[in-house]
Amino acid sequence: MVVLGLTGSIGMGKTTVANALKNCGAAVYNADAAVHRLLAPGGAAVGPVLARFPDSASGEGAARAVDRGALGAHVFADADALAELEAILHPLVRAGERRFLSASQRRGCRLAVLDVPLLFETGGETRCDATLVVSAPPFVQRARVLGRARMSEERLAAILARQMPDAEKRRRADFVIRTSLDRRVSRRAAQRVAARLSATRGTRWPLCWSGALKPAGEGDHA
């Protein structure tokens, strides 16, 4: 089974590419969606996060959860608080990735995709057979992001400050898909990547997920 790391800065079009890969038969693990589940009622992160950020609580009893808006206000401009939050969430997300990969292998999947916004920033590429970066020009990115609810110039700047520059991500990637054109172009590019990788054999799972990490390999750009 080939493990593909899918990443890209905010507003670059990862969802479009992830859905295209899924339509090609790939199994996709969305790290952002996993975090939402962890912070929702019954989520494994609710207890430890609220122990550190009690003012972020929402609901009571079985409906007790983490209010992501309140939590974001706590960590938005506090690097230490953000690091504490990540220390809680990242191991749980990683455990979810392992369960996902194990289940994907049991189902006989040829291609498993890890959709992780901070893939390179957290060293996650070392656990992948290949990496795919989704990219768009800055003006397209800004228009997409600032059109979202509760988004501002300040918030966008803070998010981008935490993310590796797009040019560096593209330099490190095995494949790059540009999403500023028609979505059909992006979907066809994703199909080519899926076809190419599905015809190969992966070497990262489960070896690199048990601590035996190898250097990320070089590759051609799509």
Side-chain angles (χ1 to χ4, degrees):
M1 181 175 73
V2 176
V3 179
L4 172 66
L6 170 63
T7 193
S9 299
I10 184 172
M12 292 300 198
K14 279 195 297 86
T15 299
T16 295
V17 173
N19 288 337
L21 293 169
K22 188 179 298 184
N23 289 337
C24 293
V28 178
Y29 179 85
N30 185 306
D32 277 345
V35 170
H36 288 186
R37 292 192 296 271
L38 289 168
L39 300 177
V46 173
V49 169
L50 292 184
R52 172 59 183 84
F53 305 98
D55 294 341
S56 300
S58 172
E60 298 180 357
R64 187 172 173 81
V66 177
D67 183 322
R68 294 196 303 273
L71 179 63
H74 280 296
V75 304
F76 180 69
D78 188 333
D80 291 336
L82 178 60
E84 291 182 59
L85 176 63
E86 291 177 339
I88 296 170
L89 293 177
H90 286 180
L92 295 172
V93 173
R94 184 77 56 82
E97 290 178 352
R98 288 194 294 268
R99 291 192 296 270
F100 160 80
L101 291 171
S102 180
S104 298
Q105 186 176 47
R106 288 196 301 271
R107 294 198 306 270
C109 292
R110 297 285 302 168
L111 178 62
V113 178
L114 302 180
D115 180 349
V116 183
L118 299 179
L119 184 77
F120 289 121
E121 292 85 344
T122 59
E125 75 277 11
T126 58
R127 303 188 307 278
C128 300
D129 293 293
T131 55
L132 165 58
V133 163
V134 180
S135 180
F139 74 92
V140 173
Q141 178 189 32
R142 290 177 61 81
R144 289 171 176 171
V145 177
L146 293 177
R148 298 179 182 180
R150 298 186 296 278
M151 184 55 69
S152 65
E153 293 275 4
E154 182 185 15
R155 183 170 176 78
L156 173 59
I159 292 172
L160 293 177
R162 291 182 56 223
Q163 297 185 342
M164 184 180 292
D166 178 56
E168 177 62 15
K169 289 183 178 181
R170 285 187 275 111
R171 187 189 71 80
R172 296 190 183 196
D174 296 295
F175 302 96
V176 176
I177 293 180
R178 303 181 187 276
T179 65
S180 55
L181 302 174
D182 190 288
R183 287 189 179 185
R184 290 173 294 183
V185 175
S186 301
R187 287 195 288 264
R188 286 196 293 269
Q191 289 166 2
R192 290 194 296 271
V193 172
R196 178 171 171 180
L197 292 178
S198 295
T200 66
R201 295 187 61 183
T203 62
R204 301 287 170 156
W205 171 260
L207 187 63
C208 288
W209 290 78
S210 59
L213 300 181
K214 300 177 182 177
E218 296 294 332
D220 297 328
H221 284 63

